[in-house]
Each structure stands twice: as structure tokens, then as C-alpha cells.
């Protein structure tokens, strides 16, 4: 977050606080705060204005972590800028659930299923802990509180994840606290996990942990216990944890006094210092170095990338001589707001001293790693990182700490439109760069590139001369890739098909949809692409999203939905659940996700039964067909989970299905016109059924009135339940109290639910237009039927027969399909539909209504909503076949293999590829100020000014985000001596400094990005002998034989004239006073190193 880490000299110093002081989520507004519906344009302008107003960090402010996938969909909907110009639908509610730790996701899901609100409030703090390893602009964005307020008011959702702005060495947003393992000396085997922000004072940490672990604070002292070894005694309680070099994931020791009141014996100085052999669990034997500079570096936990890069820098003779001679102190710039207060230079200098003037063959870079982690959070933990990124950060940090420019002037970057005087133009651009950047890092590592951009429309030429520190060379590779994708069509009778889609490597999701459309014959706009993970939709891909976010191991499914111009259709996601036994007391089961999720298009006016039948058509392919036929043939009563009755021989499952499947014939035409006609016909059929239903309700209301008139003193509630028996009443009931009533009612309707009650004020529940609150409550919770005597039943029956009934209407009552009714009963016994969120957790949304007891009522489904299908235990046990989940047809395109890239290339060919002209990709368009628009211009690089030390970065990891990193094993042939770049440089060659280079260091990478290992080979600056460095080990090496051409990742060359002019190892500088701002640990390390040197002498 360097862009937000702005120094604020006037701000007051912030005292550290534990995680418990994190802002509460109650500060987030509730959904629906917006009073009126807003347009996309209004939302865009409103958010842009708020972003401009609140773009600067201020101590005490609150920023909100928001899922970047949702934020990109919103940007696309409002057309936020030129990168988001593809028409997109309005996004659903904000969903930040995937940003939380997995354990807390499960806790959140289970807690939402509970009805105890108090339990939710107790867990609310834990639910806000974000997952480790998330990156800003990759997984989430940080939004000011004002922006979050309006977005949450418009869309709702959550959970809200507020984070405070804190002050360390800079202002920063505290994304995730340090997770520390705290042990006490009396019990080293049971660490206590504690979470604290890095600005928490050591004294506060000590007092709170002593209280938590039942220790007396006066009898405890704190040790840096990294590697479970006492490294450094932390004495200053006012020092924040970050300045005490406490890093994420490490151990901290609370050492207790002995029984006699004395402190345990402290480690000897040679084992306490970070340069000692014993710092991290090695034996007590400490062997001396074979020669200066031949020291291994301890692996602190996945830090081989750092050790490899540091060994390359350590053997960079000009840079190492500057630090060994102490010349760097003259350029130290502790007031540079872009620097690191000189702390990085101090820590790096101490490490170089230990490597080249120490007496140990193994040195621990713990102090340097701690400093780097405080200023670059990506290096703070113990995850594998990129050695090139680390070296880039170190060189950039050293440059700013040693920048000779104390006050940087404003300098405009010059742009040229012709090549008439290229030498003068390049010199002018270089002077502008040096006006703000002047350090020993620039002197050694920085060169200059000529960049030429041409507009394809107006043919404008733009020439700039840009500085570079790394020469990042691409490797020859193929430009296309194959993405495996499973396609689900709208026809539920068609099995999913797997396709191998050939797309550009740097293409977008829209390119993938277009290619898939040509293969399937379905419009590209009708596809929705999802990454399916954990039985749910892990991510939905936007059209303008790059294909680099899709990896080879991702399961990508494409679902055909209704075209965007069908405004009467909504897209619904179906997630399957099954009942799982629960170990919780008082709870028998919980819903567990399983199976393949689906996406369907249904009319906005569909009913619960319509949605239930749609789910059945989508999911029946996962059932054993024989068992399914038996299930549909069986007689299922209302709401029963299983049926033990024998199937009726006269019922044919195929007949029952066909009555519901006439509009989904497999042989129908799939053109847009025919689909629209069928959907219109289906909608008219549903409206007709609804009108017939209302007519039946009116006739039955008249019957109810006749019954009420014939039986004074009783109120009768008649409810149409769609052919189902009411709760508590059975067709097979032999209760004599109800016998007369039941026989009488069956003469007039088989769909009447009779409830007798003494309350005369009870009204018919069929009068939905004039219902009262009391009646509504009665509908939701029916009153129990009271017993009726046999005599009263006989009187009621006689009265009903003799009572004058209204004449039937001329039109015949619609015929009821028995097979259809039986099918729906079977489906009700098979599934239950409910409202869930993207994680499959049950939620209550005002725009979605699913009532299984009123199957003919509207479902009111919102576009993009998620419906959970809960299988009954009997249906899942008898019907579901997990083996059918893999029944996917394989298209011949899956067998196509792309031509492999060239496996053996030279370094010169990589340079030629780098300097070749290329056309910019769509996501990297260039703005032409003549055309006033972004253009896919052509761009060309040329080498212009070559530095004394040339760092070549071979781009073996082909990625543009951290999700898609495909390692290239191409063998690169490179010279160890005599790399001649004379013909590659565009500027006139200086005969006194020709671009002739010799190799002196290599950073190697073996294996994959996830499980690889870094090593280094380097030439000792004093002996000019080559050595291999593998973490703590150091051995002789032959550069022609031991350096692998497939593993070389970074090549460090030094110009021959610079190498020949190098002096001998400079003498040690005179002791300099320690800087006032240096940390306690740095002072301790330095003093310990001096003691070691004295002992060695």
C-alpha cells in the first residue's frame, strides 16, 4: 500500500491497540438506505466524487475491504472508465464472504442457521478476520467509508469488513493483524495464539498476555523466540511490535523467574547474535568462513527466494564495496518521504558486514527480513515469494534511502514526436530523471530505454526515453492456450459437454465466450461463466476480465441462460444440499452442500411449483433412473419425506413427465424467435391456470357460505390447498368425530380443508384481497381442529345436502391431470426450496419469496438470486447417484494439442524479442491526445543507455495476476564472458565504456511456482572464484557446468571496464555513532558482532 502510506508529520503518535479495538461492523449502513432508485450514471458520478474527496489516508479513519470481483462487476455496470465499456447487468448484493478465513466462513454459515441472535453477536468479531495471503487489487479493494456507505445502501449484502487507518512508520490500513504464537517458559509445548496489530506497544502486549495466561507481569520478560530459540531480549515496553522486529507467524516467549526470584541464564553472545550458527536450531559448533563473503544464509521459513537474491547482491562488487567502506553513510537520507527512514540501508549494511567481515559460515538475515516486512507486507510472512520482486524492492528502497536529492523538484516527463535529434532528446530525458533520482543505485544499475508508440488511426508518433533497473526479457512461447470448459445448455435433457477452447493467452473472457459460441452454436451473450469450487459458484467471470485469472486446475462451467434482451426472464443459481447429522446438542441435522451447481433462466412470474419442477428437470440426470421411476409412481402424501406405499400399476412415469415437458421437447428449434414464442405461450398458460384457480376459489367461497348458513354457531375456514390434505387431517382417517363432515365435504370438493372453531369472528382465508393481520397469522399457523360430535356431524351433513347451493357456471371446471398432481406430490417429497446466498447459507431476502405450502403462489425471484435445493433424506438415499456427476460428454476439441514453443533459445534472441514491435492488448490501450481516445497502438523498445551492472530478468513466470503463473522451462543459452551488446544498443557507443559484459551472479529457480526452490551461483569479488549458494550451504562451482540453462532466472552482468577497475576489498571504516532512530535490536546485533570480532582476534 505504498501509494497510501503517506507520512504525516503533524499527526499525533498513535498508541498500538489489539485486534479487539477494531471498528465494529455496526458502523456499516443497512441495505436499502437509499431512498430512491438511482441510475448507473448517477451511481458512477456519485462514487467518483466521493473517491476524489476521500482519497487520502487520515489517522483514525475507517476504510472497508470489498470483494474486487463484485466491485469490477459494478464498474462494468456503470461504465466507470474506458476499461469497463462492455454492457453488463446490475450486480447483486455485495458478497465479501470469500474474503474471510475458511473456518470462519463455516462458522458464519452455521450461525446464520441458528436462531439465537446473541450467539451471532458474540462471533461477529471473528467473522471479520480476512484470509491470509489476500492482495489488494487482486482479491479486494479498499474503499473509504463514504463510498462503502452509498454502495451498501444501494446494493446491501456484506459482511462489512471495516479496517482502521493506523500509524506505524507510515499511515496504513490495517488489513490483517500479526498472528503470534505466545508460550511461557513453564509450558513451551502449548502456544497461545494472539492477534495484534504491528503498532501495538510491547508493554501493552506484555500486560494483556500476562493477564490472559495468568502470569504476574513483574515476574515476566519478553523474548523474540523465532525458531523457538531465544534470539533477543525485548526490554523497551514503549517500542511497537514492528520496531521490535516481531513478524507474522513467529513465536514469542514470556520467560518467568525461577523459584528463587532470579532470571534464567541468558544465551551466550555468540549464540544470541543473528550471525551465529546457533540462532535457529543448529548445533553449537560454529565453523569459520573459508574466505570473506563465503557465508550461507539461514532459511527462516520459505525464505530461499530472499537468500538467493541477497547472495547475488552481496557479490555485486561495486555495491558491496560502497557499504564496506562506509561511503553510503554520506548519502543517507532519512527524511525522504518515499524512503524507509534509512532503516533498510542500516539493516542491509549490517548484513553485508556479517557476510564479509564476520566469523561465521552461516548468517541469519532475520533483522533485514523484519525491516523489509514492515515496509512491504507481501514479504512479512513466510510464504514463498519471487526473488526478482525482492531484489527490485531492496534496490528501490536503498535508492530512496541513499538519494542525494533532499528535496525533489517537479519535473515533467519529456515526450518527443520525431527522431531527428535522438541523442540530445535522450540526454534531456536522462537529466530530468537525475533531477529527482541521484544515488549509488542509479549510478550502478540504471539504464535507459527508448520507447516508440505509433497510433494506428492518426499515425501520431510518441517517443519517450524511460529509465530501467531490470532488463526484463520475454521467452519465446506460444500465443494461444486451450481452456477446458463444461457447457450446460438450456435443454435439461442434454448432458453437459466438455470443450477444449483455443483462446489468446492475453485474451479476455469475451474472447472465450465468442470462441465457445462458434463451437456450440449458442450466442455468446447467452453464456454465463463460473469457477465452480466447493459445490458452489466460487467466482463469476466478467466479459472484460483477462483469461490470466483462469488456471489449469480451475473447474470452469458455462451455463446457457436467456438472452439479455429477455427482460421477463431472471437468472437463478441452484445449489444442492443434503441433510447431515449434527453433533450440536439440540440440533439433529444441518444442510451440507454437495453435487454440481446449476444456473437456469425462469420467468419472473414463476411459482414455487414451477421452480420446483425446473430444479427437478435439471437435477434428475443425477438420479438412478429405475429408482426415480419407482419414486414418481409411488403415492406421496403432503409434506412427507418418504413414501412406503406401493406404486400404482396404472401410472406411467413417462406420462407424468410428458405433461410437464411439452415445452422442453428435445427436438424443438432453438432459434431466438422460437424460444420467445414458447416462453410467451408458457406465460399465457400460467395466466390461464391462475384465472381458473381464482374461479374455483369463488365457487368454493359460495359453498362455504352455504355451509356456514346451514350450521349456526360455527365458523368454517375453507382453503384451497392444491389437492393436498391439510395438516392434521388424513384421507384415511377413521375418526368418527370427523366422519360426517368429511363425507359431506367430499360431495362438493376434494380440495377443501375444513376447520371447526367456536370463534365466530374467524373469516375465510380465501378473501386474500381483504385479509386482516389476524387472518394472515391464521393462514401461516393454522388453528388446530376441535372435535365435533357425531350428532353434530350428521346435522351438518343433512343441512349441507338440503341447503340451496349456487348454480354452477356454464363453463366446465378445468380437468385436473391426476398424473400431474401425483408428480408434484412426488417432487414435494423429493425437494424443498429455500433462499440462500452465494455460499449456500440460508438467508432472508425481501425480493425472494419461496413458500412450499402455497405451490401456486408467485416466487418473486430476483435476477441473480440463489435457490437452495434441500434433498429429503429418503430421496437422497434412494435416488441420488454420485457417479453420475462425472457423466460429461467429451467434444473432440479436448484432444487438440497446441504446438510447443521452442525449447532452446539464446539470450540474444530474447533481446531481439524484447525489442520487436508489438501491438498493445485491449486492456493496455494507449491514449492518443490527437484522436482523444484510447487506441491499440504499436509499441517498440530499443536499448539506449546501458548501465555498469546489468540485471537481466528472464520472465519464466507467464502471469499478469497472481492466479495464473505458468512456469516456462525453456533452456536459455547465455555467455559467461563477453556478452556483446554493441549491435543491440541504439545510441552511439562510447569506446571507453563499450557494452561488453561478464556474468558474475545467477539466481536459479527449480520446480513450480507453488513448490519451487531458489538457489544462487556467484563469483567472489576478491578471489574471482565461482561458488554455489543453497541457503546455509556454500560450495565450489563451475559456471559452465553447474548453472542450469532451464533454471536460470536472473542473470547479473558487470561491464568489463568496471570489473577491471575494481579496487581490492576496502578497509573497515571508522566506527560511526549509531543513528538516533535505530531500533534496539539493531544496536544489540551490532554490539554483539563487535564482541564476536574481539573474541575472534
Amino acid at each position: 500500500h505504498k501509494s497510501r502510506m503517506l507520512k504525516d508529520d503533524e499527526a499525533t503518535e498513535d498508541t498500538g491497540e489489539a485486534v479487539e479495538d477494531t471498528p465494529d461492523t455496526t458502523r456499516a449502513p443497512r441495505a436499502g438506505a437509499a431512498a430512491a432508485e438511482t441510475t448507473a450514471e448517477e451511481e458512477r458520478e456519485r462514487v467518483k466524487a466521493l473517491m476524489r474527496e476521500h482519497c487520502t489516508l487520515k489517522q483514525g479513519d475507517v476504510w472497508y475491504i470489498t470483494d474486487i470481483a463484485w466491485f469490477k462487476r459494478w464498474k462494468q455496470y456503470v461504465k466507470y472508465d474506458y476499461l469497463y465499456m462492455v454492457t453488463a447487468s446490475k450486480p447483486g448484493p455485495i458478497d465479501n464472504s470469500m474474503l474471510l478465513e475458511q473456518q470462519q466462513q463455516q462458522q458464519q454459515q452455521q450461525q446464520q442457521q441458528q436462531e439465537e441472535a446473541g450467539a451471532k453477536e458474540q462471533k461477529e468479531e471473528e467473522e471479520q478476520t480476512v484470509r491470509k495471503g489476500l492482495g489488494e487489487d487482486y482479491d479486494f479493494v479498499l474503499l473509504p467509508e463514504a463510498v462503502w456507505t452509498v454502495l451498501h445502501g444501494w446494493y446491501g449484502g456484506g459482511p462489512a469488513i471495516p479496517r482502521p487507518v493506523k500509524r506505524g512508520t507510515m499511515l496504513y490500513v490495517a488489513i490483517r493483524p500479526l498472528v503470534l504464537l505466545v508460550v511461557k517458559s513453564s509450558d513451551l509445548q502449548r502456544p497461545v495464539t494472539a492477534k495484534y496489530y504491528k503498532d501495538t506497544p510491547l508493554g501493552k502486549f506484555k500486560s494483556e498476555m500476562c493477564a490472559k495466561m495468568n502470569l504476574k507481569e513483574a515476574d515476566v520478560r519478553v523474548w523474540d523466540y523465532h525458531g523457538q530459540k531465544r534470539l533477543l531480549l525485548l526490554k523497551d515496553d514503549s517500542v511497537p511490535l514492528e520496531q521490535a522486529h516481531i513478524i507474522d507467524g513467529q513465536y514469542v516467549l514470556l520467560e518467568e523467574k525461577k523459584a528463587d526470584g532470579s532470571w534464567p541464564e541468558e544465551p551466550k553472545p555468540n549464540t544470541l547474535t543473528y550471525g551465529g550458527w546457533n540462532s535457529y536450531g543448529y548445533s553449537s559448533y560454529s565453523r569459520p568462513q573459508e574466505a570473506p563473503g563465503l557465508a550461507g544464509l539461514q532459511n527462516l521459513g520459505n525464505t530461499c527466494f530472499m537468500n538467493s537474491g541477497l547472495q547475488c547482491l552481496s557479490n555485486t562488487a561495486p555495491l558491496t564495496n560502497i557499504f564496506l567502506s562506509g561511503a553510503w553513510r554520506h548519502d543517507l537520507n532519512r527524511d525522504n518521504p518515499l524512503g524507509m527512514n534509512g532503516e533498510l540501508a542500516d539493516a542491509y549494511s549490517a548484513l553485508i558486514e556479517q557476510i564479509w567481515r564476520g566469523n561465521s559460515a552461516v548468517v541469519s538475515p532475520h533483522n533485514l527480513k523484519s525491516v523489509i516486512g514492515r515496509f512491504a507486507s507481501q514479504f512479512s510472512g513466510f510464504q514463498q515469494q519471487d526473488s526478482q520482486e525482492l531484489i527490485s524492492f531492496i534496490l528501490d528502497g536503498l535508492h530512496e534511502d541513499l538519494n542525494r536529492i533532499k528535496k525533489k523538484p517537479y519535473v515533467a516527463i519529456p515526450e518527443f514526436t520525431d527522431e531527428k535529434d535522438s541523442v540530445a532528446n535522450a540526454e534531456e530525458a536522462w537529466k530530468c530523471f537525475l533531477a529527482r533520482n541521484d544515488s549509488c543505485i542509479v549510478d550502478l544499475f540504471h539504464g535507459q530505454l527508448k520507447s516508440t508508440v505509433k497510433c494506428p488511426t492518426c499515425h501520431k508518433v510518441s517517443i519517450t526515453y524511460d529509465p530501467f533497473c531490470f532488463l526484463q526479457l520475454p521467452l519465446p512461447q506460444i500465443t494461444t492456450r486451450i481452456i477446458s470448459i463444461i457447457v450446460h445448455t438450456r435443454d435439461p435433457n442434454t448432458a453437459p459437454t466438455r470443450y477444449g477452447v483455443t483462446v489468446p493467452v492475453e485474451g479476455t473472457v469475451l474472447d472465450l465466450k465468442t470462441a465457445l459460441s462458434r463451437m456450440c452454436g449458442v450466442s455468446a451473450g447467452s453464456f454465463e461463466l463460473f469457477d465452480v469450487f466447493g459445490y458452489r459458484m466460487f467466482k463469476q467471470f466478467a466479459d472484460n476480465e483477462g483469461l490470466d485469472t483462469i488456471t489449469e486446475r480451475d473447474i470452469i462451467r458455462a451455463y446457457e441462460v436467456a438472452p439479455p434482451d429477455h427482460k421477463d426472464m431472471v437468472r437463478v443459481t441452484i445449489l444442492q444440499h443434503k441433510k447431515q447429522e449434527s453433533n450440536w446438542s439440540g440440533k439433529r441435522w444441518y444442510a451440507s452442500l454437495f453435487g454440481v451447481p446449476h444456473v437456469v433462466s425462469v420467468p419472473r412470474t414463476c411459482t414455487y411449483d414451477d421452480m420446483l419442477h425446473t430444479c427437478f428437470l435439471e437435477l434428475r440426470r443425477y438420479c438412478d433412473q429405475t429408482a426415480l421411476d419407482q419414486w414418481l409412481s409411488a403415492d406421496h402424501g403432503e409434506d412427507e419425506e418418504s413414501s412406503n406405499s406401493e406404486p400404482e400399476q396404472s401410472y406411467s412415469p413417462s406420462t407424468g413427465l410428458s405433461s410437464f415437458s411439452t415445452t422442453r421437447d428435445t427436438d424443438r428449434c432453438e432459434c431466438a424467435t422460437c424460444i420467445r414464442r414458447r416462453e410467451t405461450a408458457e406465460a399465457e398458460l400460467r395466466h390461464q391456470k391462475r384465472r381458473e384457480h381464482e374461479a374455483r376459489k369463488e365457487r368454493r367461497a359460495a359453498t362455504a357460505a352455504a355451509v356456514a348458513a346451514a350450521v349456526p354457531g360455527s365458523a368454517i375456514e375453507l382453503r384451497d390447498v392444491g389437492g393436498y390434505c391439510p395438516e392434521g387431517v388424513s384421507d384415511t382417517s377413521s375418526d368418527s368425530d370427523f366422519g360426517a363432515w368429511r363425507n359431506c365435504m367430499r360431495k362438493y370438493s376434494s380440495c377443501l380443508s375444513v376447520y371447526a372453531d367456536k370463534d365466530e369472528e374467524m373469516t375465510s382465508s380465501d378473501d386474500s384481497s381483504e385479509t386482516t393481520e389476524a387472518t394472515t397469522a391464521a393462514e401461516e399457523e393454522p388453528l388446530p381442529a376441535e372435535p365435533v360430535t357425531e350428532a353434530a356431524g350428521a346435522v351438518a351433513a343433512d343441512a349441507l345436502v338440503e341447503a340451496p347451493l349456487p348454480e354452477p357456471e356454464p363453463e366446465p371446471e378445468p380437468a385436473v391431470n391426476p398424473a400431474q398432481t401425483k408428480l408434484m406430490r412426488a417432487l414435494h417429497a423429493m425437494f424443498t426450496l429455500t433462499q440462500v446466498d452465494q455460499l449456500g447459507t440460508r438467508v432472508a431476502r425481501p425480493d425472494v419469496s419461496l413458500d412450499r405450502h402455497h405451490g401456486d403462489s408467485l416466487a418473486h425471484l430476483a435476477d441473480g438470486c440463489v435457490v437452495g435445493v434441500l434433498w429429503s433424506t429418503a430421496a437422497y438415499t434412494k435416488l441420488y447417484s454420485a457417479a453420475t456427476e462425472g457423466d460429461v460428454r467429451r467434444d473432440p476439441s479436448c484432444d487438440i494439442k497446441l504446438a510447443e514453443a521452442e525449447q532452446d533459445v539464446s539470450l540474444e534472441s530474447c533481446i531481439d524479442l524484447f525489442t520487436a514491435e508489438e501491438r498493445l492488448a485491449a486492456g493496455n490501450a494507449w491514449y492518443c491526445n490527437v484522436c482523444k481516445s484510447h487506441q491499440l497502438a504499436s509499441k517498440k523498445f530499443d536499448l539506449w543507455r546501458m548501465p555498469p551492472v546489468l540485471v537481466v530478468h528472464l520472465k519464466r513466470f507467464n502471469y499478469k495476476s497472481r492466479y495464473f503463473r505458468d512456469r516456462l522451462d525453456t533452456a536459455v543459452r547465455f555467455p559467461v564472458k563477453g556478452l556483446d551488446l554493441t549491435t543491440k544498443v541504439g545510441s552511439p557507443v562510447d569506446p571507453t565504456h563499450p557494452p561488453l559484459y561478464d556474468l558474475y551472479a545467477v539466481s536459479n529457480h527449480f520446480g513450480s511456482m507453488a513448490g519451487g526452490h531458489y538457489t544462487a551461483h556467484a563469483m567472489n569479488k576478491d578471489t574471482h572464484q565461482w561458488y554455489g549458494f543453497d541457503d546455509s550451504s556454500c560450495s565450489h562451482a563451475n559456471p559452465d557446468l553447474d548453472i542450469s540453462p532451464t533454471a536460470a532466472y536472473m542473470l547479473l552482468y558487470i561491464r568489463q571496464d568496471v570489473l577491471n577497475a575494481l579496487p581490492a576489498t576496502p578497509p573497515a571504516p571508522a566506527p560511526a555513532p549509531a543513528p538516533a532512530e535505530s531500533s534496539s535490536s539493531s544496536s544489540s546485533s551490532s554490539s554483539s558482532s563487535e564482541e564476536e570480532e574481539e573474541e575472534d582476534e
Side-chain angles (χ1 to χ4, degrees), residues 316-527:
T316 303
L319 180 65
T320 298
N321 288 342
I322 291 175
F323 278 93
L324 292 178
S325 65
W328 64 279
R329 297 186 183 277
H330 302 293
D331 299 332
L332 192 59
N333 186 352
R334 297 189 184 274
D335 299 325
N336 187 353
L338 298 179
M340 304 180 191
N341 303 325
E343 294 184 40
L344 181 62
D346 290 333
Y348 183 78
S349 174
L351 180 66
I352 295 298
E353 286 282 344
Q354 291 181 357
I355 292 176
W356 289 91
R357 293 197 173 120
N359 62 348
S360 178
V362 180
V363 176
S364 174
H366 179 272
N367 187 25
L368 178 62
K369 183 184 185 303
S370 177
V371 173
I372 293 174
R374 285 196 286 118
F375 291 95
S377 59
Q378 66 269 29
F379 301 117
S380 61
F382 298 97
Q383 295 180 341
Q384 183 68 280
Q385 301 289 344
D386 193 323
S387 64
Q388 185 272 333
E389 293 179 0
L390 177 78
I391 292 180
S392 175
F393 177 82
I394 291 177
L395 292 180
D396 181 64
L398 292 177
H399 159 65
E400 296 296 351
D401 276 359
L402 304 177
N403 199 339
R404 304 180 186 107
I405 306 298
K406 304 302 181 182
K407 186 175 181 181
K408 295 188 176 184
Y410 172 78
V411 178
I413 300 177
E415 180 182 359
F416 309 96
T417 58
D418 57 62
E419 304 184 19
K420 292 181 179 179
D421 197 356
S422 298
V423 176
N425 294 341
E427 190 64 28
E428 178 185 351
W430 186 250
K431 289 181 179 179
C432 291
F433 172 71
L434 293 181
R436 294 174 54 86
N437 304 276
D438 184 14
S439 67
C440 61
I441 304 299
V442 173
D443 298 339
L444 294 176
F445 293 92
H446 281 236
Q448 195 176 30
L449 293 174
K450 177 184 177 182
S451 174
T452 305
V453 182
K454 296 180 181 180
C455 177
T457 303
C458 66
H459 305 291
K460 175 193 172 179
V461 177
S462 173
I463 302 175
T464 57
Y465 296 87
D466 306 317
F468 74 91
C469 185
F470 290 82
L471 190 60
Q472 297 183 319
L473 301 183
L475 301 182
Q477 56 180 310
I478 56 179
T479 58
T480 58
R481 58 180 291 212
I482 294 179
I483 295 179
S484 178
I485 186 169
I486 301 175
V487 176
H488 297 255
T489 64
R490 294 187 66 188
D491 186 358
N493 297 318
T494 302
T497 305
R498 183 185 297 275
Y499 292 90
V501 187
T502 303
V503 293
V505 172
E506 298 184 355
T508 63
V509 173
L510 183 60
D511 297 329
L512 175 59
K513 289 184 177 181
T514 303
L516 187 62
S517 174
R518 292 193 296 265
M519 303 176 69
C520 303
V522 179
S523 171
S526 299
F527 278 127

Side-chain angles (χ1 to χ4, degrees), residues 558-631:
Y559 298 89
E560 181 190 359
V561 296
D565 57 345
H566 284 216
K567 303 300 182 182
D568 58 336
M569 305 291 288
V570 294
R571 176 176 54 84
V572 179
T573 300
I574 300 174
L575 300 182
Q576 300 185 72
H577 296 75
K578 62 181 178 181
K579 294 183 179 180
Q580 200 83 6
E581 292 186 2
S582 175
N583 296 327
W584 293 359
S585 59
K587 189 170 184 179
R588 293 179 300 173
W589 60 271
Y590 66 92
S592 174
L593 281 172
F594 77 100
V596 179
H598 286 259
V599 179
V600 296
S601 292
V602 297
R604 293 182 182 273
T605 57
C606 76
T607 63
Y608 179 93
D609 284 349
D610 293 336
M611 190 65 219
L612 184 69
H613 187 261
T614 300
C615 295
F616 167 71
L617 294 177
E618 291 291 330
L619 303 180
R620 65 180 177 180
R621 67 168 58 97
Y622 306 115
C623 298
D624 180 86
Q625 294 305 313
T626 302
L628 180 61
D629 290 346
Q630 295 176 358
W631 179 275

Side-chain angles (χ1 to χ4, degrees), residues 189-347:
Q189 303 302 321
R190 292 188 295 177
V192 176
T193 302
K195 298 180 181 180
Y196 283 87
Y197 287 112
K198 58 185 180 181
D199 62 340
T200 304
L202 184 63
K204 182 177 181 180
F205 164 80
K206 177 182 176 181
S207 61
E208 291 183 356
M209 291 309 302
C210 287
K212 187 174 182 179
M213 303 177 72
N214 298 322
L215 299 174
K216 188 176 181 181
E217 186 175 354
D219 296 338
V220 170
R221 59 183 182 179
V222 183
W223 282 86
D224 182 344
Y225 201 56
H226 185 84
Q228 301 188 43
K229 292 292 181 180
R230 291 183 296 173
L231 298 181
L232 185 66
L233 181 61
L234 307 178
K235 301 179 180 179
D236 190 352
D237 290 346
S238 63
V239 174
L241 292 177
E242 64 171 344
Q243 294 185 16
H245 304 305
I246 301 299
I247 58 180
D248 187 39
Q250 79 159 71
Y251 277 82
V252 178
L253 173 65
L254 300 182
E255 188 178 53
E256 307 163 75
K257 285 184 176 180
K258 295 181 181 179
D260 58 1
S262 62
W263 293 108
E265 183 180 358
E266 297 185 11
K268 295 181 180 179
N270 64 333
T271 60
L272 176 63
T273 61
Y274 291 123
W277 176 260
N278 298 334
S279 297
Y280 289 90
Y282 289 81
S283 64
S284 59
Y285 170 69
S286 178
R287 57 186 175 87
Q289 297 180 6
E290 181 180 334
L294 300 184
L297 296 176
Q298 286 295 343
N299 191 320
L300 307 179
N302 282 333
T303 58
C304 59
F305 73 96
M306 180 177 68
N307 295 342
S308 174
L310 290 176
Q311 291 289 8
C312 293
L313 292 180
S314 171
N315 286 279
T316 303
L319 180 65
T320 298
N321 288 342
I322 291 175
F323 278 93
L324 292 178
S325 65
W328 64 279
R329 297 186 183 277
H330 302 293
D331 299 332
L332 192 59
N333 186 352
R334 297 189 184 274
D335 299 325
N336 187 353
L338 298 179
M340 304 180 191
N341 303 325
E343 294 184 40
L344 181 62
D346 290 333

Side-chain angles (χ1 to χ4, degrees), residues 658-688:
S658 63
S659 63
F660 279 81
S661 304
T662 54
T663 60
R664 293 180 178 267
D665 188 11
T666 56
D667 298 328
R668 63 184 180 180
C669 177
E670 291 295 339
C671 68
T673 303
C674 293
I675 291 176
R676 190 178 299 108
R677 290 176 179 174
R678 284 194 298 273
E679 292 173 347
T680 303
E682 291 174 358
E684 292 178 354
L685 180 60
R686 285 191 296 272
H687 287 307
Q688 179 182 355

Side-chain angles (χ1 to χ4, degrees), residues 103 217 230 282 314 378 582 587 625 699 716 765 789 806 840 842 858 862 886 898 924 998 1009 1087:
Q103 180 180 2
E217 186 175 354
R230 291 183 296 173
Y282 289 81
S314 171
Q378 66 269 29
S582 175
K587 189 170 184 179
Q625 294 305 313
R699 292 194 300 273
I716 300 178
S765 63
T789 62
R842 185 169 183 175
L858 295 180
L898 297 176
N924 194 26
D998 287 346
M1009 187 64 190
S1087 60

